[in-house]
Amino acid sequence: MQTTWAGKILHEYECIESTNATLASLATQGACNGTLVVADKQTAGRGRRGRSWESPEGKNIYFSLLLTPAFTPDKASMLTLVMACAVTRGIGQALQESVGLTAVSPKLPKPQIKWPNDILLNQKKVCGILTELHISPGKADGYSVIVGVGINVKSQEFPEDLAGKAGSIEIETGVCLSRKHLIQLIMSAFEACYERFEAAGDLSLLMSEYNEQLINRDSQVKVFDPKGEFTGVARGINAAGELLVELPDGSMTAVYAGEVSVRGTDGYV
Ligand code: ATP
């Protein structure tokens, strides 16, 4: 790693249930800030709200990064968006490097973000991010945050229920990236993005970068809130990472990521 702290301590596994679960257990054993768990395969990869993450071996990236922040736990959910910026920077840079090295088209798609935690290429989901908060038993103010990332790098096929929604970097661009190099780029990008987040105490220094890549920006979206479903036009995130949605009456509402899903009016985006 060409980083100061992110991923400097690395635990690599061939096959584990979930990188988030393994890192949570390492955290209880005293693992330090920046510890990275990487696996070649997960047997029980996790997504948000108890969903699963398809994690076949030998093709993709599954990693989790441990953070022991000084800020209060209510800010932890914003780290999903910090990681989303780092992943788009990493994928974008890796693809850019590939242009000119091989006969790759210079018109490669740019990674985009579907709020709050998905990264897409050509409207296909190639990455999901899952942030989990762990309160350390016995320590009043002790807590850690685990940011888990799954990236479809070389997968060529997906189970039926994901067909039409999921894609991989290789399918969408024709570029076969080195998984190791991509992780290095993302760790370096994460350090830089995290520094901005810590300096501001919120996402104000990353907001414009995030919003530029937001796939639903200025489009009609359906918001699936447990309190009720509604539609509106997505206008971008605020400094807290909430999605600002303009309602039909012209008023603006801020949607908090916790239990909410956003969709395009006709499909996934
Ligand atoms: P959604 O993708 O429906 O907006 P989400 O952001 O809450 O939901 P995640 O936590 O990112 O979901 O990931 C879990 C969901 O992603 C699963 O329910 C499944 O639809 C999809 N999924 C699972 N594995 C993969 C994969 N390898 N590539 C792309 N999508 C996947």
Side-chain angles (χ1 to χ4, degrees), residues 3 5-6 65 67 71 78-91 93 113 129 147 185-210 213:
T3 53
W5 55 270
L65 181 66
L67 301 166
F71 50 77
M78 292 187 228
L79 293 170
T80 295
L81 288 82
V82 177
M83 183 58 89
C85 285
V87 172
T88 52
R89 279 192 195 186
I91 293 177
Q93 192 179 338
I113 302 172
I129 300 168
V147 187
L185 291 177
I186 293 170
M187 284 301 110
S188 296
F190 185 81
E191 259 192 19
C193 293
Y194 190 73
E195 211 171 279
R196 293 183 144 221
F197 174 68
E198 273 194 312
D202 61 25
L203 295 163
S204 46
L205 299 176
L206 291 167
M207 219 163 77
S208 59
E209 177 177 338
Y210 188 97
Q213 305 180 92

Side-chain angles (χ1 to χ4, degrees), residues 135-195:
I135 306 296
S136 316
K139 289 193 209 158
D141 58 346
Y143 80 101
S144 54
V145 182
I146 291 175
V147 187
V149 175
I151 307 175
N152 303 324
V153 181
K154 306 178 196 200
S155 270
Q156 288 297 334
E157 57 202 22
F158 295 94
E160 216 172 302
D161 58 318
L162 296 180
K165 172 182 179 182
S168 70
I169 297 175
E170 197 166 316
I171 297 173
E172 300 309 322
T173 64
V175 178
C176 177
L177 293 180
S178 148
R179 291 184 288 169
K180 182 175 151 188
H181 184 53
L182 183 51
I183 294 172
Q184 288 169 335
L185 291 177
I186 293 170
M187 284 301 110
S188 296
F190 185 81
E191 259 192 19
C193 293
Y194 190 73
E195 211 171 279

Side-chain angles (χ1 to χ4, degrees), residues 45-56 60 62 114-119 124-130 150-152 155 158-159 161-162 165-168 258 260-263 268:
R46 303 207 290 248
R48 294 198 303 159
R49 290 163 287 158
R51 292 164 170 191
S52 60
W53 187 259
E54 178 70 18
S55 310
N60 301 324
Y62 316 110
K114 181 176 152 293
W115 180 87
N117 69 326
D118 296 339
I119 312 296
K124 293 284 162 56
K125 178 165 170 174
V126 298
C127 166
I129 300 168
L130 175 68
I151 307 175
N152 303 324
S155 270
F158 295 94
D161 58 318
L162 296 180
K165 172 182 179 182
S168 70
V260 173
S261 245
V262 168
R263 288 276 180 284
Y268 176 54

Side-chain angles (χ1 to χ4, degrees), residues 22-75:
T22 296
L23 188 52
S25 125
L26 289 170
T28 61
Q29 295 159 38
C32 65
N33 186 52
T35 300
L36 184 68
V37 163
V38 179
D40 186 50
K41 172 183 175 162
Q42 297 184 109
T43 54
R46 303 207 290 248
R48 294 198 303 159
R49 290 163 287 158
R51 292 164 170 191
S52 60
W53 187 259
E54 178 70 18
S55 310
E57 71 178 307
K59 296 177 165 73
N60 301 324
I61 288 175
Y62 316 110
F63 73 70
S64 296
L65 181 66
L66 181 67
L67 301 166
T68 53
F71 50 77
T72 50
D74 56 308
K75 295 192 174 172

